Amino acid sequence: MTPQQRAEGLGLVFEKQTPGYLNLCIRSGNQLLSSGHVSTMKGKLGAGVTTQEGYAAARDCMAKILNSVWNTHGTLDGLKVIKVLGCVNSDADFIEQHLVINGASDLLHEVFGKTGDGFHARSALGFASLPTGVAVEVEAIFEIL
């Protein structure tokens, strides 16, 4: 199966986006760079939001990124995941940012393969706050093969 077929098999929905204030995904040479995509979930990890809920929020962010990539590239086929940056709205004592951002990485592994085109570099960082109080924000870079 292709990445596009795997994504659709996982129930991901691909819908046309209306251009807004910022470009959600831009092509530069042979790369696609996403803007930060925020979770629907709001709250602070370690202060009311659990690691498992954060994991689901990060997965939600990546699903939104894949939709933006699809809008720019027309398919998820022919892509390699290069880099993911995950930002976690964290309480001062919260130390499981990496486990939260696994939600985004695991979705990429399911779609592109863990040892193939989905094997990516990543940063998972904690922040005192994120825009509008969201729990997670994720951005990604893809290479067009």
Side-chain angles (χ1 to χ4, degrees):
M1 286 198 331
T2 69
Q4 184 70 40
Q5 291 168 332
R6 283 192 290 274
E8 291 169 0
L10 291 169
L12 297 183
V13 177
F14 298 94
E15 300 175 329
K16 289 288 182 191
Q17 296 169 326
T18 304
Y21 180 71
L22 297 172
N23 196 339
L24 295 175
C25 182
I26 189 167
R27 181 177 178 159
S28 178
N30 69 335
Q31 291 189 332
L32 297 171
L33 297 93
S34 83
S35 289
H37 286 59
V38 298
S39 62
T40 304
M41 176 182 290
K42 296 192 178 207
K44 191 171 285 288
L45 276 289
V49 178
T50 67
T51 300
Q52 294 76 20
E53 290 169 326
Y55 178 98
R59 187 176 178 96
D60 174 50
C61 292
M62 188 51 67
K64 291 175 182 178
I65 288 171
L66 292 175
N67 187 62
S68 294
V69 166
W70 178 85
N71 270 269
T72 301
H73 188 59
T75 181
L76 299 183
D77 298 341
L79 299 176
K80 178 178 181 166
V81 187
I82 302 299
K83 171 78 177 178
V84 171
L85 170 63
C87 307
V88 181
N89 189 351
S90 302
D91 186 61
D93 294 326
F94 186 76
I95 60 170
E96 296 185 337
Q97 290 83 0
H98 62 296
L99 299 176
V100 169
I101 302 306
N102 280 352
S105 292
D106 287 349
L107 180 56
L108 291 172
H109 292 158
E110 291 175 49
V111 172
F112 295 99
K114 184 173 170 122
T115 59
D117 292 333
F119 191 58
H120 56 276
R122 188 185 85 183
S123 299
L125 305 173
F127 287 80
S129 67
L130 292 174
T132 69
V134 298
V136 179
E137 181 172 350
V138 177
E139 64 181 51
I141 300 172
F142 298 81
E143 180 181 9
I144 301 169
L145 301 173

